[in-house]
Amino acid sequence: MTPYFLIDADKIEQNLKVLHGVMERTGCSILLAQKCFSCYALYPLIGKYLSGATASGLFEARLCHEEMPGKQNHVFSPAFREGDFDELIQICDHIVFNSPRQLHLFGCRAKEAGLQVGLRINPECSTQEGHAIYDPCAPGSRLGTTIEVFDAMPQDDFDLLDGLHFHTLCEQNSDDLETTLNAVEERFGKYLPRMKWINFGGGHHITRADYDIPRLERLITHMSRQYGLHVILEPGEAVALNAGTLHATVLEIQPKGADGISNVILDTSAACHMPDVIEMPYLPPLIEPVGHNVYRFGGPTCLSGDVIGVYSIERELHEGDELVFDDMAIYSMVKTNTFNGMPLPDIYIRKNGNVELWKHFDYSDFKCRV
Ligand SMILES: *Cc1c(COP(=O)(O)O)cnc(C)c1O
């Protein structure tokens, strides 16, 4: 029953093969960024091709530990909590701190527990326009250590470091990575020979058709040869790009308004089921031939702005018709909520042509959160 997500495991495997090719040709490690896609039913498949996963905190780190056992488990957080730390250093093998202060507070314990210790840097190089909320190099950013702060770090803390980490891209190609690496080398180059590894973060749209993989591989090889560094990438989107759909049903079609557009109420909601549509914002792709019927799709919540978008499609819609939104595996299931008591979409997985129900949600999932 709609609304539901349908995850395409075969498409994810295709993506994983592309990423694995980069690992094989360059010797780099690639991790799944779980914050984008945490559908752990596919962790065994992902673990077959990638080096492991990276986490934003204790819960994601636990998920990797439980569902991708034996694979690398990295964690980064802008600030760690004392209460989480003992467990984190038991289950993780790499930890990345955001500031010299955090490194000073926690670095020794991580090191003694045998973890690789890194610091996130801010290369102060913005390469994206339009999506300021996804730009960690924007003025006033709390993410990463600038060279000014890095230079002033006490030697004892610096000596704890095995690697550096930056994450500045979002859905970008390898030309922007090249620009960013130039800034990293210009500012932090003097420290790079003393490190073992460098993590290029995520935001690399490696599995997109027009992504320039040879350039990415040249950049990885350059950092390895020039500074003796092992390179790590941690994409989220690239793992599950174009590998899932969200299915919804038309509940009501309102008469055309003054703007000549019919509002259509669906049983899915932008605010609850695809919040990035409002947050980013973007227009999710709809799997429909384009035509002259113009509809504004919205959710059944009370929020006036719960609008998915305006679409021109070929067919004339009727109550009960099903609509399918594309590229819904990424940043969707991990972001759903039950505002207005909206039911969460069930999750199905398609593998080798077979579709299986993976998760069913009901009233209790709403009730247990409020
Ligand atoms: C979000 C994030 C990623 C993954 O980004 P994608 O755009 O999904 O590839 C990787 N590393 C860090 C630190 C992030 O915040």
Side-chain angles (χ1 to χ4, degrees):
M1 216 168 78
T2 60
Y4 63 89
F5 291 108
L6 175 58
I7 305 303
D8 185 345
D10 301 325
K11 176 61 191 175
I12 288 185
E13 187 159 20
Q14 277 178 29
N15 289 343
L16 291 168
K17 285 182 172 158
V18 172
L19 298 172
H20 190 75
V22 175
M23 291 168 60
E24 280 197 327
R25 289 186 296 273
T26 64
C28 76
S29 300
I30 302 187
L31 311 166
L32 163 72
Q34 295 176 87
K35 75 157 195 262
C36 170
F37 182 76
S38 310
C39 184
Y40 57 90
L42 293 166
Y43 280 16
L45 178 72
I46 294 170
K48 241 173 78 183
Y49 291 95
L50 302 188
S51 310
T54 187
S56 318
L58 180 59
F59 286 0
E60 287 182 357
R62 268 183 67 175
L63 194 64
C64 171
H65 182 68
E66 291 172 7
E67 303 295 335
M68 233 191 268
K71 304 301 287 189
Q72 285 185 26
N73 196 359
H74 296 226
V75 65
F76 161 80
S77 173
F80 289 101
R81 298 194 307 174
E82 176 53 46
D84 293 345
F85 206 72
D86 282 335
E87 189 177 354
L88 268 179
I89 57 179
Q90 269 180 39
I91 61 177
C92 292
D93 41 73
H94 288 65
I95 187 162
V96 175
F97 297 102
N98 190 51
S99 66
R101 173 67 185 156
Q102 283 273 302
L103 174 66
H104 182 77
L105 276 179
F106 293 109
C108 266
R109 276 158 70 193
K111 201 86 192 169
E112 277 162 16
L115 278 75
Q116 292 275 310
V117 171
L119 186 69
R120 177 166 173 172
I121 57 172
N122 177 350
E124 299 175 88
C125 172
S126 292
T127 53
Q128 37 179 320
E129 299 132 35
H131 293 152
I133 71 163
Y134 297 111
D135 182 6
C137 295
S141 172
R142 72 188 186 292
L143 299 171
T145 300
T146 59
I147 188 63
E148 196 189 340
V149 175
F150 196 102
D151 279 336
M153 184 174 7
Q155 185 68 34
D156 284 357
D157 295 330
F158 177 81
D159 288 341
L160 292 168
L161 290 177
D162 299 294
L164 298 182
H165 174 291
F166 66 85
H167 169 72
T168 67
L169 305 179
C170 177
E171 302 187 340
Q172 280 163 281
N173 212 317
S174 45
D175 53 346
D176 288 332
L177 174 62
E178 184 159 35
T179 305
T180 303
L181 276 174
N182 286 337
V184 168
E185 288 189 75
E186 193 186 308
R187 292 187 169 77
F188 294 88
K190 60 187 168 190
Y191 298 116
L192 293 177
R194 304 198 26 203
M195 299 297 153
K196 293 192 198 114
W197 46 265
I198 186 163
N199 186 323
F200 291 1
H204 318 279
H205 244 189
I206 302 170
T207 49
R208 199 174 72 199
D210 68 346
Y211 188 89
D212 184 349
I213 292 180
R215 188 203 298 258
L216 169 68
E217 294 181 352
R218 284 198 302 277
L219 295 171
I220 294 171
T221 306
H222 165 71
M223 293 307 277
S224 302
R225 295 224 177 109
Q226 185 76 22
Y227 304 102
L229 292 166
H230 178 70
V231 173
I232 304 163
L233 306 177
E234 46 181 36
E237 291 205 9
V239 175
L241 199 63
N242 296 313
T245 44
L246 175 60
H247 299 242
T249 299
V250 172
L251 299 180
E252 200 206 329
I253 301 161
Q254 297 180 348
K256 277 185 189 159
D259 56 4
I261 302 173
S262 296
N263 281 313
V264 175
I265 317 284
L266 305 180
D267 63 358
T268 191
S269 152
C272 300
H273 301 157
M274 35 185 146
D276 271 359
V277 165
I278 295 171
E279 226 174 78
M280 195 167 188
Y282 81 107
L283 184 74
L286 179 69
I287 304 181
E288 281 292 330
V290 173
H292 63 274
N293 289 297
V294 186
Y295 299 108
R296 182 186 297 104
F297 296 127
T301 72
C302 69
L303 180 74
S304 326
D306 187 1
V307 170
I308 299 160
V310 176
Y311 295 82
S312 301
I313 63 174
E314 190 175 284
R315 69 173 159 151
E316 190 183 331
L317 287 175
H318 304 280
E319 286 171 16
D321 284 350
E322 189 176 306
L323 290 169
V324 182
F325 295 94
D326 205 4
D327 198 15
M328 280 291 164
I330 52 176
Y331 292 110
S332 50
M333 295 123 79
V334 290
K335 284 197 159 196
T336 53
N337 64 76
T338 58
F339 178 52
N340 274 235
M342 275 294 289
L344 296 172
D346 289 346
I347 300 171
Y348 289 82
I349 297 173
R350 182 169 54 220
K351 198 167 185 180
N352 301 321
N354 298 321
V355 175
E356 270 182 39
L357 177 65
W358 156 250
K359 284 278 168 82
H360 172 65
F361 302 101
D362 59 22
Y363 170 65
S364 65
D365 296 288
F366 162 64
K367 189 176 180 187
C368 77
R369 293 162 52 125
V370 288

